[in-house]
Amino acid sequence: MQNFIGNLSRRTLFKFSAVAGTLATLGTSASSAFAARVNKKGTGKMTYWNHFTGAPERAAFAETTEAFKKASPAIEADIQTVTNDDWMAKYIASTTAKSGPDAVMIDVTRFTDMLRIGGLRDITTYNKQWPGAASVAGDTPAFSFNRKVYGVPFFTFIDWTYYRKDFFEAAGIKKEPTTMAEFREAAIACTNPSKGQYGFAMRGGSGGGGFIVNALHAYNGSIMSPSFKATLTLDAAVEAMRFWVNLAVKDKAVVPTVATDGYAQIFSNFYQGKAAMVMHHGGSFIDVGKNLKYGSEVMTLARPKGPKDQFGFQAPLANGVFQHTKNPDAAFEYASFLGSPAAQTVFLKGTGYFPTSTAAASDKFIADNRQFDTAIASLASLPKTYTFPGLTAWRDLTCLPEFQKCLIGTQTPEGAAKIIVDRLNVVAKAAATANRKYYSDNRGK
Amino acid sequence: MTALKKKRPVSYHLVNIGIGFLALFAILPIIWTFYTSLRTNVDINKFPTKFSFSNLSFDAYFGVWRDTNFPMLIKNSLIVSTMTVIISLALGTFAGYALSRSKFRGRQGVLLVYLAIRLVPGVLLLIPMYLFMNRLGLLDSYIGLTLAYTTFTLPATIWLMKGFFDSLPPDLENAARIDGCSRMGAMWRISIPLVLPGLAATGTLTAITAWNDVLFALLLTSSDRTRTWPVGLREMIGEFQLPWEALTATSILSLLPVVIGFALVGRKMVAGITAGSLKD
């Protein structure tokens, strides 16, 4: 060793110093990178807004909050509810006031609107450091924009159809309908107006606009490109509107009060035996089970396939961090806790909401419950729902009223389709313009 | 007595039958709501529905009391309504008295401004009100909600109270002042006791406005600590549930404070509303 040191030339010494320095720098940065991989533990009060007001959801939130208290005792979580109908008004007000909750629920159909209003915080760094991110990675892109993550997926609503098994047997239907043509035939076969019985409880009142979007997508394929270019053709829209309107107007296979039927009415009709089928998603799973017996009275069925795609969507739901929070660490800790398999399993058992976590999706509750087979099968075939600026306004203020006019005979499916396509083009142009502005405003941020 | 009854014309009985039908028409939905609240959800959803007295229970009422924040929501509503009534009546009575008795330049203008405030739709003020309350740190607080309600109830209170004071002859107060009362003393000892029915009527109308509001309560409160009853009822309707028995039970429960309140001040309120309608 002494010889080695004694024989060191100045050049060799410099070489060793350079290598040692580089290794030291790399080591330091590696150790600091390792340290940064762990999110900072949150402390203090954290307020969370969600729009779930039903008793099963409240109970599930109570249970998960207790579990969160044990997992993160330094955080005092305050879970607050805002009714779904009033959600955007309150969100806009709190974003404008730069004062609101710390964490917020994000429905995927509202994601782009909530992002552009400016109330969602970029959580990409948090998400990268969160060990559970891989488990919900399948749905994370639905809450990402411009390569930035804004939400931790919580669970996903999978569209499906409930049908009365006894009605199908009485009508002699042996094979579950898989296409829209078969769905129509089944609805007609189950219709018997003299008994006050119809094939389908169609939603033509509040919330009915979503089914028009379903029909347009099933006949056209994607109606909006990722760069906000409307891709809905008039021919496809006409076919879609003809199918959906004629099911009520010509086939008379739907409950006659369709034009005013919202969620409460279609499910009342279904429970009361006035309709053989009703379309919804897994969110109503528990409520249906309280009124009808799964297996003997009611079954689930995948949404039918249209000429271009399935008649339905997967709509994930996430939790994000409010832009103006003073406690982002605690907010992300709570949002990521709800994204964990443990919390998602509590919600699955309490509400039937399908988890986004791959670990939670393999829970015994799902494996033992045959009704979820439909959801598992649909996961592979159902497209993700749309989320573009102006979607909800176009859906509820153009699609639904035009459909309702068709039902009462003041509009034709062709006329309605033209207005729907025209308005979608207007919405797409506005969305593209808003998108360019958003990009230019946020360039470099 | 029997002879008297026989003499009554047919029209008398027809009118009574008509009134009976109207009363039934008004009360039947409440009876049906109460009946539904005693049934099970499965029974409610049966078609055709059967009118049966078997399997009736108060389970829904116990469930609402146990599983929701019903007592807290009712308490919050009572606190906010009471505070709104107190502030509105206190300010409205003085303002109404001043506008009734004092003659000053711009008096009509002041009254018109109050009327204009009353005419502005509440929904237009939602966002500004939220921002304002946020700046004051009064979001999600009783006082914030009370002040928001007072903004809308005060103009009506002032107009109503001015009307009641106008109906009193000023000579009564003048006599009291000759006997040594100050203006405030005359108002307190002479005028206020005479407008008590008016105060009761105005207070009841104010309380009903505050009790029934959903719009401002939804926006300005977010926690169960301050949330009022109508918001709680609205939230009870889950997105994907139809708990008819719980909803009807809570509807009946929410009627009770209003019915009790009206029973207590109803007579005074009617007297107040009709005060001054007859000439002496």
Side-chain angles (χ1 to χ4, degrees):
Chain A
M1 188 70 183
Q2 263 180 341
N3 283 342
F4 173 73
I5 293 169
N7 293 333
L8 262 180
S9 67
R10 189 185 290 177
R11 187 178 292 269
T12 314
L13 185 65
F14 276 143
K15 276 181 187 170
F16 270 106
S17 303
V19 170
T22 309
L23 286 172
T25 311
L26 282 172
T28 314
S29 46
S31 63
S32 60
F34 181 75
R37 264 191 215 119
V38 182
N39 281 330
K40 200 175 157 194
K41 288 292 278 182
T43 54
K45 196 173 174 188
M46 190 285 312
T47 307
Y48 166 67
W49 278 3
N50 70 84
H51 46 77
F52 285 146
T53 53
E57 293 133 351
R58 282 203 304 268
F61 266 123
E63 196 177 336
T64 47
T65 307
E66 278 305 307
F68 181 70
K69 270 183 195 168
K70 284 178 189 159
S72 303
I75 300 172
E76 187 193 336
D78 185 8
I79 314 304
Q80 300 181 350
T81 50
V82 178
T83 48
N84 202 22
D85 292 344
D86 310 296
W87 178 266
M88 286 310 280
K90 194 145 181 169
Y91 175 79
I92 291 168
S94 57
T95 306
T96 311
K98 296 183 179 175
S99 166
D102 299 292
V104 281
M105 185 172 265
I106 312 167
D107 182 307
V108 72
T109 57
R110 289 178 178 146
F111 169 60
T112 48
D113 284 337
M114 286 176 75
L115 178 63
R116 278 164 174 74
I117 288 163
L120 295 181
R121 183 179 277 236
D122 172 13
I123 54 168
T124 314
T125 313
Y126 279 109
N127 203 52
K128 274 182 188 163
Q129 295 164 13
W130 177 46
S135 177
V136 292
D139 286 298
T140 305
F143 303 96
S144 304
F145 183 76
N146 200 14
R147 282 174 288 172
K148 289 176 184 169
V149 179
Y150 292 91
V152 178
F154 189 13
F155 47 76
T156 187
F157 290 124
I158 298 168
D159 285 345
W160 62 23
T161 305
Y162 296 99
Y163 71 93
R164 293 288 298 252
K165 199 180 172 198
D166 44 348
F167 284 28
F168 267 39
E169 283 167 2
I173 301 167
K174 293 195 173 83
K175 183 182 165 286
E176 290 179 344
T178 54
T179 64
M180 290 180 73
E182 287 172 4
F183 176 81
R184 177 175 168 262
E185 282 166 20
I188 293 169
C190 291
T191 298
N192 187 347
S194 62
K195 285 186 183 174
Q197 188 181 307
Y198 297 87
F200 180 47
M202 184 185 270
R203 193 161 170 177
S206 169
F211 292 93
I212 313 296
V213 180
N214 285 169
L216 295 170
H217 179 89
Y219 274 86
N220 185 80
S222 178
I223 61 170
M224 182 73 80
S225 77
S227 58
F228 302 119
K229 187 174 183 300
T231 50
L232 175 63
T233 66
L234 183 60
D235 288 345
V238 167
E239 287 302 310
M241 291 306 289
R242 274 184 192 151
F243 176 86
W244 204 237
V245 170
N246 287 344
L247 206 55
V249 175
K250 285 195 177 162
D251 300 331
K252 299 195 183 303
V254 308
V255 182
T257 51
V258 49
T260 52
D261 285 354
Y263 175 85
Q265 290 75 29
I266 59 170
F267 272 93
S268 285
N269 289 333
F270 186 63
Y271 296 151
Q272 291 175 355
K274 290 181 190 169
M277 291 184 282
V278 66
M279 283 183 174
H280 198 240
H281 52 62
S284 46
F285 180 76
I286 298 290
D287 198 57
V288 170
K290 281 181 185 167
N291 288 279
L292 298 165
K293 278 183 192 153
Y294 280 112
S296 59
E297 288 180 315
V298 64
M299 297 283 279
T300 56
L301 167 70
R303 285 289 181 89
K305 192 167 180 351
K308 289 286 170 67
D309 206 348
Q310 297 288 127
F311 185 99
F313 297 109
Q314 294 177 50
L317 193 138
N319 294 298
V321 176
F322 189 59
Q323 179 68 53
H324 306 291
T325 176
K326 287 175 184 150
N327 199 354
D329 295 331
F332 183 80
E333 201 165 321
Y334 185 73
S336 58
F337 179 80
L338 291 181
S340 69
Q344 293 198 9
T345 306
V346 168
F347 263 84
L348 167 70
K349 289 175 182 171
T351 62
Y353 297 172
F354 204 82
T356 49
S357 158
T358 47
S362 59
D363 190 88
K364 201 169 171 293
F365 183 78
I366 290 178
D368 288 350
N369 203 323
R370 301 323 312 159
Q371 306 309 318
F372 280 114
D373 288 354
T374 304
I376 293 162
S378 300
L379 272 174
S381 59
L382 281 182
K384 290 277 194 293
T385 194
Y386 292 102
T387 173
F388 54 84
L391 164 68
T392 49
W394 170 72
R395 182 189 67 196
D396 300 337
L397 303 177
T398 300
C399 296
L400 182 59
E402 290 305 317
F403 172 63
Q404 288 171 324
K405 284 181 201 168
C406 294
L407 291 175
I408 58 169
T410 58
Q411 176 63 288
T412 60
E414 295 76 16
K418 185 167 185 334
I419 291 170
I420 286 169
V421 172
D422 289 347
R423 285 300 305 168
L424 183 65
N425 285 325
V426 173
V427 168
K429 275 183 190 164
T433 308
N435 196 42
R436 280 194 294 275
K437 187 177 182 308
Y438 186 82
Y439 262 117
S440 64
D441 289 351
N442 289 278
R443 191 171 291 150
K445 282 186 185 173
Chain B
M1 194 68 187
T2 316
L4 270 176
K5 269 187 184 171
K6 277 180 186 168
K7 279 181 189 171
R8 278 175 178 159
V10 179
S11 61
Y12 173 85
H13 296 291
L14 285 176
V15 167
N16 272 348
I17 290 168
I19 289 169
F21 269 117
L22 282 176
L24 199 66
F25 184 75
I27 208 164
L28 206 59
I30 297 170
I31 293 171
W32 189 258
T33 304
F34 178 65
Y35 171 64
T36 305
S37 71
L38 303 177
R39 301 165 77 189
T40 62
N41 217 26
V42 174
D43 192 32
I44 293 165
N45 279 322
K46 270 187 187 152
F47 181 78
T49 193
K50 282 177 188 163
F51 196 73
S52 158
F53 286 101
S54 59
N55 295 326
L56 299 185
S57 76
F58 283 91
D59 286 354
Y61 290 86
F62 293 123
V64 165
W65 196 268
R66 189 184 55 236
D67 302 333
T68 69
N69 277 324
F70 180 79
M72 175 74 101
L73 296 168
I74 289 287
K75 188 191 94 180
N76 292 341
S77 275
L78 281 172
I79 290 172
V80 171
S81 300
T82 308
M83 282 167 67
T84 307
V85 169
I86 290 170
I87 294 175
S88 296
L89 284 187
L91 296 177
T93 304
F94 284 116
Y97 182 80
L99 288 164
S100 170
R101 293 292 184 256
S102 304
K103 310 291 177 213
F104 56 89
R105 193 181 295 226
R107 194 171 68 122
Q108 285 302 318
V110 171
L111 282 167
L112 281 174
V113 166
Y114 282 127
L115 197 63
I117 292 168
R118 182 75 185 164
L119 293 175
V120 175
V123 73
L124 284 182
L125 297 175
L126 273 179
I127 304 275
M129 189 78 85
Y130 187 93
L131 298 175
F132 187 61
M133 290 295 174
N134 177 51
R135 188 62 69 86
L136 293 175
L138 293 177
L139 282 178
D140 207 26
S141 69
Y142 291 139
I143 191 71
L145 200 53
T146 302
L147 288 178
Y149 290 158
T150 308
T151 315
F152 294 97
T153 56
L154 191 59
T157 309
I158 291 170
W159 269 85
L160 282 168
M161 291 313 295
K162 180 191 172 293
F164 291 125
F165 285 120
D166 281 347
S167 67
L168 295 180
D171 289 345
L172 285 172
E173 289 163 48
N174 292 340
R177 294 194 71 182
I178 288 165
D179 289 343
C181 265
S182 64
R183 182 175 274 280
M184 283 296 286
M187 178 198 163
W188 186 250
R189 291 186 177 86
I190 307 296
S191 302
I192 294 287
L194 290 170
V195 295
L196 270 183
L199 272 173
T202 313
T204 309
L205 293 173
T206 305
I208 289 171
T209 306
W211 182 271
N212 285 335
D213 172 76
V214 179
L215 197 65
F216 284 93
L218 263 172
L219 197 78
L220 300 178
T221 65
S222 45
S223 72
D224 285 343
R225 291 183 300 277
T226 52
R227 186 156 285 170
T228 56
W229 168 244
V231 181
L233 186 65
R234 191 177 161 91
E235 291 197 342
M236 210 165 276
I237 308 165
E239 276 191 80
F240 313 124
Q241 295 88 28
L242 295 173
W244 291 122
E245 80 283 29
L247 281 171
T248 47
T250 44
S251 299
I252 293 292
L253 285 172
S254 67
L255 281 178
L256 290 179
V258 180
V259 170
I260 293 167
F262 196 83
L264 291 174
V265 297
R267 223 174 259 275
K268 290 261 185 203
M269 184 184 159
V270 173
I273 287 168
T274 55
S277 58
L278 294 174
K279 283 196 171 180
D280 293 326

